[in-house]
Amino acid sequence: MEERERVLIVEDDAALRAGMARVVAAEGFEVVEAESLEEGRLQLAACSPRLIVLDVRLPDGSGVELAALAAQRRPKPTIVAVSGMSSAAEAFELGQAGVSFYLSKPFTLGDLRQAVRSARHWIPPIVPFVKESVGKRELLDVVARVRSTMVDEALARSEGSRRGAAKQLGVSRQAIQQIVRKRPPQEVD
């Protein structure tokens, strides 16, 4: 039996959190809940979520802090932020912290369902990186970095399984082994 992807819901309003959990579970995810920033930190470390639905304003701090922590994880979870009142500065901070989707309160559970579906299939834009590389890096270097990043991410998502990584990338296990064996030592960004 294949393990379901996890979603961490961090929301201090218990009734709203319960409704959100029902919607997310109906999309086939395993749901982990937290009612505070501190509990969110603990659950983030414990459960390795694929997706985080995060209230920006929590009683013990800002969801921006948790978003920034999540952005450092590999694989990096996709984040849907929710807030009833968010300033332009806070919206900028959320973007900088890696938030990909934003829902303004009040929202319907249908809005949440659509955001979760979009987040599940969201692919971060690669075009800005590629455009920025023109004239600064050779084409083969960019291709090698993209390949290496995709292999690393697939290995992380499959907990080191080369077979699992190969399946995610649509290549053979032998191709993954060859890529890993031939690449130079990792460059630190």
Side-chain angles (χ1 to χ4, degrees), residues 5 50 74-78 120 122 124 151-161 164-165 168:
E5 293 177 310
R50 162 76 176 85
R74 294 294 174 258
K76 177 185 170 284
T78 304
R120 172 179 257 163
W122 184 74
V151 167
D152 287 346
E153 185 71 11
L155 286 167
R157 288 182 183 198
S158 62
E159 298 177 347
S161 165
Q168 289 181 42

Side-chain angles (χ1 to χ4, degrees), residues 13-24:
D13 180 318
L16 178 56
R17 188 174 64 249
M20 293 165 78
R22 282 191 301 276
V23 167
V24 172

Side-chain angles (χ1 to χ4, degrees), residues 163-180:
R163 178 170 296 172
K167 184 177 178 182
Q168 289 181 42
L169 296 173
V171 299
S172 70
R173 180 180 50 81
Q174 292 82 0
I176 295 293
Q177 289 173 321
Q178 187 176 21
I179 291 167
V180 170

Side-chain angles (χ1 to χ4, degrees), residues 65-87:
E65 184 181 329
L66 189 65
L69 281 173
Q72 297 171 14
R73 298 187 58 88
R74 294 294 174 258
K76 177 185 170 284
T78 304
I79 303 171
V80 177
V82 298
S83 180
M85 47 187 183
S86 187
S87 66

Side-chain angles (χ1 to χ4, degrees), residues 83-104:
S83 180
M85 47 187 183
S86 187
S87 66
E90 195 169 53
F92 179 76
E93 284 182 87
L94 289 167
Q96 295 290 79
V99 171
S100 305
F101 296 88
Y102 182 83
L103 286 175
S104 190

